[in-house]
Amino acid sequence: MAMYSNSIHSANEPHPFDPPHDVMKMLKREINELRAAFQAEQQQRAVEVQQLRQEVSVLRDQIPKEKLERQTICHQIVNDLTQLRSDHIKGLDEIKTNFGSSLHQLNQILQDEMRDRRAQDSLRDTREATEKSERISEAAAIKNDIGKHKQVFSGTREDVYTSISNITHDIEMIATALSKASYTKAGLNADGLHCWKYFSGSGMLSTGGGKN
């Protein structure tokens, strides 16, 4: 009975080698998977390496051509830069020359303008001085003429006053004489005048030496 019970008990318990066996099976499966993955990776890497070798070969073929093209381009750029530098230096020299010539011309123009201005100012000052002298002379002459005219006017005024006084006196004398003549005429008539008959046509003057 005891031996039977022990055999049953051992049959129900796990075998001590089962866990290592499971571990080994799992490791073997993982190794197989890793080996398959490694082979696939190796094949992929071989394909990539082949592609890279082809690309490297193509690049090796293209590098000399591209190097020659780059050298040609660099040489052309250097030539262009040299020509551009030469053109810029030449243009700068021309600009300096033209600027110096323009500056000299401008300075000459300014000097001529200043000389003309000074000549015009001197001529204007001379003309103004001459005009001022003429105006002073004319003013003095006008003042002198005005003094003479005043003297003449004063003398003429005195003469006019004297003439007016004389005319007034003459008019008064004429008026007195006319008044006396009017008074004398009032006392005259046709009968009192012996010559009235001759003026009226009633008598005739005798001519020759005969008597009636």
Side-chain angles (χ1 to χ4, degrees):
M1 289 296 291
M3 293 178 61
Y4 179 75
S5 60
N6 291 332
S7 62
I8 293 173
H9 182 268
S10 62
N12 292 329
E13 291 181 356
H15 196 273
F17 293 106
D18 288 339
H21 184 265
D22 293 334
V23 171
M24 291 179 66
K25 286 173 64 177
M26 184 178 64
L27 290 174
K28 186 177 181 180
R29 186 172 62 251
E30 291 180 353
I31 289 171
N32 291 330
E33 291 176 356
L34 289 173
R35 186 175 294 169
F38 177 74
Q39 290 177 355
E41 183 72 19
Q42 189 175 10
Q43 291 177 357
Q44 184 178 358
R45 293 292 179 269
V47 173
E48 292 178 354
V49 168
Q50 184 65 26
Q51 291 177 353
L52 289 174
R53 286 178 179 176
Q54 292 177 356
E55 291 179 358
V56 169
S57 179
V58 172
L59 290 174
R60 284 179 180 176
D61 294 335
Q62 291 179 353
I63 284 174
K65 296 180 181 179
E66 187 172 355
K67 182 179 179 181
L68 181 60
E69 291 177 356
R70 296 293 175 85
Q71 288 178 350
T72 303
I73 292 171
C74 290
H75 183 68
Q76 184 65 36
I77 290 173
V78 170
N79 291 333
D80 293 340
L81 289 175
T82 303
Q83 184 65 33
L84 183 62
R85 182 173 178 273
S86 178
D87 293 339
H88 282 177
I89 292 173
K90 183 178 179 181
L92 184 60
D93 291 337
E94 291 179 355
I95 290 173
K96 288 181 179 179
T97 303
N98 293 331
F99 179 75
S101 178
S102 299
L103 186 62
H104 178 71
Q105 291 178 0
L106 181 60
N107 188 19
Q108 189 66 32
I109 291 171
L110 289 176
Q111 293 296 329
D112 294 340
E113 183 68 20
M114 291 173 63
R115 185 172 58 255
D116 294 339
R117 291 289 181 86
R118 285 195 294 268
Q120 290 178 1
D121 293 340
S122 178
L123 181 62
R124 185 189 60 211
D125 294 338
T126 303
R127 184 172 61 250
E128 289 179 354
T130 303
E131 291 179 355
K132 183 178 180 181
S133 178
E134 290 177 355
R135 295 296 179 272
I136 292 173
S137 299
E138 291 177 356
I142 291 171
K143 185 177 181 181
N144 190 16
D145 291 339
I146 290 173
K148 291 180 180 180
H149 285 301
K150 284 183 178 180
Q151 293 177 357
V152 172
F153 178 73
S154 297
T156 305
R157 183 176 61 183
E158 294 296 332
D159 293 338
V160 169
Y161 287 162
T162 303
S163 298
I164 291 173
S165 178
N166 293 331
I167 291 170
T168 303
H169 183 265
D170 293 339
I171 290 173
E172 290 178 353
M173 291 179 65
I174 292 170
T176 303
L178 290 175
S179 176
K180 291 179 178 181
S182 297
Y183 178 77
T184 304
K185 184 180 179 181
L188 297 176
N189 52 26
D191 296 335
L193 293 175
H194 297 286
C195 61
W196 177 257
K197 58 182 179 179
Y198 300 106
F199 289 104
S200 62
S202 58
M204 294 181 65
L205 294 174
S206 61
T207 60
K211 293 180 182 179
N212 293 328

